[in-house]
Amino acid sequence: MALREILTEPNKLLREKSLAVEGVDEDLQKLMNDMLETMYAAPGIGLAAIQVGVPKRVIVLDIRWRDKSESTSDEKQVERKNPMCFVNPEIIAKSTNNSIYEEGCLSVPGQFAEIARPDKCHVKYLDYYGQPKEFVAEGMLATCIQHEIDHLEGILFIDYLSKLKKSMIVKKLTKQKEQLDRIVI
Ligand code: ZN
Protein backbone atom coordinates (compact mmCIF):
# COMPACT_ATOMS: atom_id res chain seq x y z
CA MET A 1 0.00 0.00 0.00
CA ALA A 2 1.14 3.53 -0.62
CA LEU A 3 -0.05 7.00 0.22
CA ARG A 4 -1.14 9.06 -2.76
CA GLU A 5 -1.24 12.83 -3.06
CA ILE A 6 -4.72 14.31 -2.68
CA LEU A 7 -5.50 16.99 -5.29
CA THR A 8 -7.12 20.17 -4.04
CA GLU A 9 -9.33 22.79 -5.62
CA PRO A 10 -8.60 24.58 -7.90
CA ASN A 11 -7.32 21.72 -10.05
CA LYS A 12 -8.68 20.89 -13.51
CA LEU A 13 -8.48 17.13 -12.90
CA LEU A 14 -11.09 17.43 -10.12
CA ARG A 15 -13.52 18.69 -12.79
CA GLU A 16 -12.98 15.69 -15.07
CA LYS A 17 -15.68 13.09 -15.54
CA SER A 18 -14.36 9.69 -14.44
CA LEU A 19 -14.67 6.66 -16.72
CA ALA A 20 -16.38 3.37 -15.93
CA VAL A 21 -14.10 0.50 -14.94
CA GLU A 22 -14.32 -2.69 -17.02
CA GLY A 23 -13.69 -5.10 -14.19
CA VAL A 24 -11.94 -5.47 -10.87
CA ASP A 25 -8.39 -6.80 -11.19
CA GLU A 26 -5.30 -6.75 -8.98
CA ASP A 27 -4.27 -3.29 -10.18
CA LEU A 28 -7.65 -1.86 -9.27
CA GLN A 29 -7.54 -3.54 -5.85
CA LYS A 30 -4.13 -1.96 -5.32
CA LEU A 31 -5.63 1.43 -6.21
CA MET A 32 -8.45 0.85 -3.69
CA ASN A 33 -5.93 -0.18 -0.99
CA ASP A 34 -3.91 2.98 -1.67
CA MET A 35 -7.06 5.10 -1.60
CA LEU A 36 -8.11 3.65 1.77
CA GLU A 37 -4.65 4.20 3.24
CA THR A 38 -4.64 7.77 1.92
CA MET A 39 -8.16 8.40 3.28
CA TYR A 40 -7.35 7.06 6.76
CA ALA A 41 -4.09 9.05 6.88
CA ALA A 42 -5.70 12.32 5.73
CA PRO A 43 -7.87 11.73 7.85
CA GLY A 44 -11.18 11.50 6.03
CA ILE A 45 -14.24 9.27 5.71
CA GLY A 46 -14.50 9.11 1.91
CA LEU A 47 -12.33 9.43 -1.19
CA ALA A 48 -12.92 9.21 -4.93
CA ALA A 49 -10.17 8.00 -7.29
CA ILE A 50 -10.12 11.33 -9.15
CA GLN A 51 -9.05 13.01 -5.88
CA VAL A 52 -5.75 11.14 -6.23
CA GLY A 53 -5.65 11.96 -9.95
CA VAL A 54 -7.10 8.69 -11.31
CA PRO A 55 -10.20 9.28 -13.51
CA LYS A 56 -11.85 5.92 -12.76
CA ARG A 57 -15.29 5.40 -11.25
CA VAL A 58 -14.07 4.13 -7.89
CA ILE A 59 -14.86 5.41 -4.40
CA VAL A 60 -13.92 4.27 -0.90
CA LEU A 61 -15.71 5.11 2.34
CA ASP A 62 -15.57 4.37 6.04
CA ILE A 63 -18.10 6.50 7.87
CA ARG A 64 -17.65 4.95 11.31
CA TRP A 65 -13.97 4.90 12.10
CA ARG A 66 -13.82 8.53 13.30
CA ASP A 67 -17.01 8.38 15.31
CA LYS A 68 -16.05 10.41 18.39
CA SER A 69 -18.89 8.98 20.49
CA GLU A 70 -16.87 5.79 20.86
CA SER A 71 -13.34 5.22 22.14
CA THR A 72 -10.71 7.31 20.37
CA SER A 73 -7.59 5.30 21.16
CA ASP A 74 -5.70 4.32 18.00
CA GLU A 75 -5.97 0.63 18.79
CA LYS A 76 -9.75 0.78 19.08
CA GLN A 77 -9.98 2.78 15.85
CA VAL A 78 -8.15 0.05 13.96
CA GLU A 79 -10.58 -2.53 15.33
CA ARG A 80 -13.56 -0.45 14.28
CA LYS A 81 -12.44 0.10 10.69
CA ASN A 82 -15.12 -0.88 8.23
CA PRO A 83 -13.84 0.05 4.75
CA MET A 84 -16.33 0.03 1.88
CA CYS A 85 -15.28 0.04 -1.78
CA PHE A 86 -17.59 0.96 -4.65
CA VAL A 87 -16.64 0.36 -8.29
CA ASN A 88 -18.89 1.94 -10.96
CA PRO A 89 -21.37 3.12 -8.29
CA GLU A 90 -24.72 4.18 -9.66
CA ILE A 91 -27.67 5.69 -7.84
CA ILE A 92 -30.79 4.00 -9.21
CA ALA A 93 -33.33 5.71 -6.93
CA LYS A 94 -33.38 8.62 -4.50
CA SER A 95 -35.72 9.68 -1.72
CA THR A 96 -37.73 12.86 -2.22
CA ASN A 97 -36.96 13.89 1.36
CA ASN A 98 -33.75 15.77 2.03
CA SER A 99 -31.40 15.73 4.97
CA ILE A 100 -28.81 18.39 5.73
CA TYR A 101 -25.24 17.72 6.85
CA GLU A 102 -22.31 20.06 7.23
CA GLU A 103 -19.98 18.76 4.52
CA GLY A 104 -16.27 19.11 4.06
CA CYS A 105 -13.98 17.56 1.47
CA LEU A 106 -10.34 16.48 1.43
CA SER A 107 -10.03 18.36 -1.89
CA VAL A 108 -11.48 21.56 -0.38
CA PRO A 109 -9.34 21.75 2.78
CA GLY A 110 -10.62 23.67 5.77
CA GLN A 111 -13.97 24.59 4.20
CA PHE A 112 -17.37 23.41 5.39
CA ALA A 113 -20.96 24.13 4.38
CA GLU A 114 -24.44 22.79 5.02
CA ILE A 115 -25.66 20.87 1.99
CA ALA A 116 -29.11 19.33 1.46
CA ARG A 117 -29.27 15.99 -0.33
CA PRO A 118 -31.83 13.17 -0.58
CA ASP A 119 -31.80 11.31 2.75
CA LYS A 120 -31.92 7.86 1.13
CA CYS A 121 -30.42 6.49 -2.05
CA HIS A 122 -30.46 3.06 -3.66
CA VAL A 123 -26.95 2.35 -4.92
CA LYS A 124 -25.72 -0.35 -7.28
CA TYR A 125 -22.00 -1.13 -7.62
CA LEU A 126 -19.25 -3.74 -7.80
CA ASP A 127 -17.48 -4.47 -4.53
CA TYR A 128 -13.73 -4.94 -3.84
CA TYR A 129 -13.93 -8.44 -5.33
CA GLY A 130 -15.89 -7.35 -8.42
CA GLN A 131 -19.15 -8.81 -7.12
CA PRO A 132 -22.33 -6.89 -8.05
CA LYS A 133 -24.02 -5.45 -4.97
CA GLU A 134 -26.85 -3.06 -4.18
CA PHE A 135 -28.46 -1.59 -1.08
CA VAL A 136 -30.39 1.41 0.17
CA ALA A 137 -28.15 3.86 2.03
CA GLU A 138 -29.62 6.17 4.66
CA GLY A 139 -28.48 9.11 6.76
CA MET A 140 -24.82 10.07 6.70
CA LEU A 141 -23.90 7.12 4.48
CA ALA A 142 -26.41 8.31 1.84
CA THR A 143 -24.88 11.81 1.95
CA CYS A 144 -21.32 10.46 1.70
CA ILE A 145 -22.12 8.20 -1.26
CA GLN A 146 -23.76 11.10 -3.12
CA HIS A 147 -20.83 13.42 -2.31
CA GLU A 148 -18.33 10.84 -3.64
CA ILE A 149 -20.36 10.00 -6.76
CA ASP A 150 -20.47 13.75 -7.48
CA HIS A 151 -16.64 13.64 -7.63
CA LEU A 152 -16.93 11.08 -10.45
CA GLU A 153 -18.93 13.69 -12.39
CA GLY A 154 -16.45 16.47 -11.64
CA ILE A 155 -18.77 18.08 -9.09
CA LEU A 156 -17.61 19.45 -5.70
CA PHE A 157 -19.89 20.31 -2.77
CA ILE A 158 -19.04 24.00 -3.17
CA ASP A 159 -20.86 23.89 -6.54
CA TYR A 160 -24.14 23.80 -4.55
CA LEU A 161 -23.35 27.11 -2.84
CA SER A 162 -24.13 30.60 -4.13
CA LYS A 163 -21.78 31.95 -6.78
CA LEU A 164 -20.40 34.49 -4.32
CA LYS A 165 -19.76 31.99 -1.53
CA LYS A 166 -18.13 29.55 -3.94
CA SER A 167 -15.84 32.16 -5.48
CA MET A 168 -14.76 33.31 -2.01
CA ILE A 169 -13.77 29.74 -1.11
CA VAL A 170 -11.91 29.16 -4.41
CA LYS A 171 -10.09 32.47 -3.97
CA LYS A 172 -9.03 31.51 -0.45
CA LEU A 173 -7.78 28.09 -1.60
CA THR A 174 -5.90 29.62 -4.55
CA LYS A 175 -4.17 32.02 -2.17
CA GLN A 176 -3.26 29.18 0.19
CA LYS A 177 -1.72 27.27 -2.72
CA GLU A 178 0.33 30.29 -3.82
CA GLN A 179 1.67 30.65 -0.27
CA LEU A 180 2.60 26.98 -0.27
CA ASP A 181 4.38 27.32 -3.60
CA ARG A 182 6.57 30.05 -2.21
CA ILE A 183 8.25 27.77 0.31
CA VAL A 184 9.04 25.01 -2.20
CA ILE A 185 12.82 24.95 -2.74
ZN1 ZN B 1 -15.01 15.24 -1.45
Side-chain angles (χ1 to χ4, degrees), residues 157-174:
F157 79 93
I158 53 173
D159 298 348
Y160 296 107
L161 304 176
S162 72
K163 236 177 150 178
L164 179 70
K165 221 171 170 184
K166 181 182 163 183
S167 75
M168 276 168 62
I169 289 175
V170 175
K171 227 169 142 181
K172 211 185 260 179
L173 292 171
T174 307

Side-chain angles (χ1 to χ4, degrees), residues 53 85 132 141 145 150 154 156 173:
C85 297
L141 182 58
I145 287 173
D150 272 356
L156 299 175
L173 292 171

Side-chain angles (χ1 to χ4, degrees), residues 5 8 26 32 34 62 76 82 92 103 116 118 121 124 134 147 152 154 164 170 185:
E5 189 196 345
T8 57
E26 250 178 55
M32 291 189 272
D34 285 356
D62 188 341
K76 284 274 162 55
N82 177 32
I92 53 177
E103 293 187 25
C121 64
K124 217 177 102 179
E134 58 180 276
H147 174 119
L152 307 183
L164 179 70
V170 175
I185 302 168

Side-chain angles (χ1 to χ4, degrees), residues 46-48 51 104-108 147-148 151 155-157:
L47 194 69
Q51 291 179 276
C105 178
L106 293 174
S107 292
V108 189
H147 174 119
E148 298 306 334
H151 277 299
I155 298 166
L156 299 175
F157 79 93

Side-chain angles (χ1 to χ4, degrees), residues 2-185:
L3 284 179
R4 307 242 185 161
E5 189 196 345
I6 298 175
L7 306 179
T8 57
E9 172 81 348
N11 185 307
K12 277 188 189 146
L13 265 177
L14 290 172
R15 298 312 191 164
E16 246 186 51
K17 209 170 157 168
S18 296
L19 300 172
V21 171
E22 288 199 0
V24 178
D25 57 15
E26 250 178 55
D27 283 346
L28 200 78
Q29 286 181 333
K30 189 185 173 311
L31 171 68
M32 291 189 272
N33 293 341
D34 285 356
M35 285 169 63
L36 281 167
E37 191 183 358
T38 304
M39 178 190 83
Y40 286 125
I45 58 171
L47 194 69
I50 193 65
Q51 291 179 276
V52 293
V54 180
K56 290 182 177 172
R57 299 188 80 82
V58 177
I59 64 179
V60 296
L61 287 172
D62 188 341
I63 63 159
R64 293 214 49 133
W65 78 285
R66 297 215 5 118
D67 188 346
K68 290 197 184 90
S69 62
E70 293 170 43
S71 169
T72 52
S73 82
D74 284 349
E75 206 183 326
K76 284 274 162 55
Q77 282 194 350
V78 173
E79 282 170 23
R80 283 191 290 113
K81 277 183 183 168
N82 177 32
M84 301 175 82
C85 297
F86 301 79
V87 176
N88 296 338
E90 218 183 304
I91 291 172
I92 53 177
K94 282 178 188 181
S95 157
T96 50
N97 292 326
N98 281 345
S99 61
I100 297 176
Y101 282 94
E102 188 173 45
E103 293 187 25
C105 178
L106 293 174
S107 292
V108 189
Q111 305 299 318
F112 300 89
E114 288 186 348
I115 307 289
R117 299 183 188 267
D119 66 355
K120 284 182 197 151
C121 64
H122 188 161
V123 61
K124 217 177 102 179
Y125 61 102
L126 302 178
D127 70 8
Y128 183 84
Y129 301 100
Q131 297 298 311
K133 293 267 169 77
E134 58 180 276
F135 72 99
V136 176
E138 293 182 34
M140 193 164 89
L141 182 58
T143 285
C144 289
I145 287 173
Q146 291 171 75
H147 174 119
E148 298 306 334
I149 290 179
D150 272 356
H151 277 299
L152 307 183
E153 300 299 320
I155 298 166
L156 299 175
F157 79 93
I158 53 173
D159 298 348
Y160 296 107
L161 304 176
S162 72
K163 236 177 150 178
L164 179 70
K165 221 171 170 184
K166 181 182 163 183
S167 75
M168 276 168 62
I169 289 175
V170 175
K171 227 169 142 181
K172 211 185 260 179
L173 292 171
T174 307
K175 220 172 154 187
Q176 275 173 15
K177 274 192 177 181
E178 282 165 359
Q179 281 169 351
L180 277 179
D181 283 345
R182 262 184 241 142
I183 55 162
V184 174
I185 302 168

